[in-house]
Amino acid sequence: MSVTQGPVRVVKPRDLADWPVFAGLARFFWGCAALLMAVTAGLFFLVYAADSADSEGWRSPWPILLTPVTQVAVGAVLLGGLYVAPGFRRLARTTRLALLGPLACAVPVFVVLWA
């Protein structure tokens, strides 16, 4: 004996917290992150230029830049991994970007403080 269960409903997952304020927050935080990264790059360029001018000849910039480049790469991998995490993917795209923005701002600050 078979029992009919009726029509199958396909429920579309709702965009959790897809509010317009999150688009503005995402722009603000990622703009701050870009500005902080530019300031960090300029700071390391000035440190390299001062160190290179003090030496007798041209030296490779990699010993000075190895630590910050590694830290930025690790930060990018962690932020990318968090962006595609299963629990995080349920949120709307703008919400994810707004939540990851402060973490992206922390990466250049951490690079400067660590170096």
Side-chain angles (χ1 to χ4, degrees):
M1 179 163 111
S2 70
V3 177
T4 59
Q5 295 181 5
V8 177
R9 282 187 355 167
V10 177
V11 178
K12 183 178 177 184
R14 63 187 178 104
D15 258 346
L16 297 174
D18 194 16
W19 297 338
V21 70
F22 286 117
L25 281 174
R27 285 187 195 105
F28 173 74
F29 285 132
W30 284 95
C32 288
L35 182 66
L36 285 171
M37 190 58 71
V39 168
T40 302
L43 177 69
F44 278 100
F45 175 74
L46 287 176
V47 168
Y48 168 69
D51 188 44
S52 188
D54 190 34
S55 67
E56 294 174 359
W58 185 83
R59 296 185 338 180
S60 174
W62 283 112
I64 295 175
L65 297 178
L66 184 62
T67 302
V69 167
T70 304
Q71 290 172 346
V72 168
V74 167
V77 167
L78 290 176
L79 287 174
L82 185 59
Y83 184 79
V84 296
F88 213 64
R89 283 200 60 87
R90 291 186 311 141
L91 297 172
R93 185 176 58 92
T94 57
T95 306
R96 284 185 279 174
L97 289 174
L99 289 174
L100 288 177
L103 294 175
C105 289
V107 170
V109 172
F110 179 72
V111 166
V112 169
L113 293 178
W114 186 268

